[in-house]
Amino acid sequence: MCSSRRASNVSTPGSLQKTEESGRVSLTDVSSWAVSFNTLLESPTGRSVFMEFLRSEHSDENMLFWQACEELKTVTHKATIAERVKQIYLDYISILSPKEVSIDATVRETINKNMSAPTAYVFNDAQAQIYALMHRDSYPRFLNSPLYQSLLRSLGPAHSAAEC
């Protein structure tokens, strides 16, 4: 008997569908990404596939910034925090950055003021804005994208039934 947990390594050329534990992704895993944006972001494979989609839309800086902020929150050493804050600022907040994220002027101003004594949470408001942007705009497009839809089809019951 076939299972809806059928696993696959590949859905479309170039995609990164390997989970950290098994090297495979299942229909259950991929389907769960449509349940909520948080479910997608909590999955290492989900983040990889979503990142691939964002690259195709030339908006991967949003996910890179969000991930950098998440990683920053795990740092406890003050000197390391200061270094990482400066790098994140240069990479994503500075108006001179080629990967500048789109945040409102008030949040940018607050970040600029707090750069003299940075904490691991200096980008929280900006991260929240980028999360909202990805959730509102990119996530629905991802769920309807050929990338996600073909991954679902490649793992779906019709496909797996043919292989049983």
Side-chain angles (χ1 to χ4, degrees):
M1 176 168 194
C2 289
S3 163
S4 67
R5 291 207 44 95
R6 178 183 163 338
S8 173
N9 281 350
V10 179
S11 67
T12 58
S15 48
L16 307 169
Q17 279 75 34
K18 292 189 176 186
T19 61
E20 291 180 345
E21 298 93 29
S22 67
R24 298 171 101 44
V25 65
S26 71
L27 176 59
T28 303
D29 296 332
V30 174
S31 297
S32 74
W33 303 341
V35 172
S36 77
F37 186 51
N38 281 337
T39 302
L40 173 70
L41 293 181
E42 289 167 1
S43 163
T45 305
R47 285 192 307 272
S48 293
V49 176
F50 186 56
M51 180 63 125
E52 184 176 333
F53 168 75
L54 291 175
R55 271 193 296 272
S56 76
E57 290 205 326
H58 307 288
S59 61
D60 56 323
E61 71 280 355
N62 293 326
M63 185 65 164
L64 291 169
F65 172 71
W66 183 86
Q67 287 178 312
C69 291
E70 288 297 295
E71 291 168 14
L72 176 62
K73 292 173 190 174
T74 67
V75 178
T76 55
H77 189 260
K78 282 190 175 206
T80 306
I81 290 171
E83 266 176 43
R84 294 231 183 128
V85 165
K86 182 178 180 184
Q87 193 59 55
I88 291 169
Y89 181 87
L90 292 172
D91 287 347
Y92 306 106
I93 304 299
S94 169
I95 58 171
L96 301 175
S97 172
K99 297 183 285 185
E100 179 188 5
V101 293
S102 181
I103 56 174
D104 67 43
T106 307
V107 169
R108 189 178 307 277
E109 244 176 73
T110 301
I111 291 170
N112 287 335
K113 287 178 188 170
N114 292 329
M115 287 301 290
S116 59
T119 70
Y121 303 96
V122 70
F123 301 115
N124 275 7
D125 290 344
Q127 185 185 20
Q129 284 189 354
I130 295 305
Y131 175 94
L133 175 70
M134 290 190 301
H135 184 240
R136 181 184 63 244
D137 294 339
S138 304
Y139 177 60
R141 284 196 310 274
F142 168 72
L143 293 177
N144 291 311
S145 72
L147 174 66
Y148 181 70
Q149 292 299 316
S150 70
L151 180 55
L152 276 176
R153 278 191 305 277
S154 75
L155 298 169
H159 186 268
S160 58
E163 293 184 358
C164 290

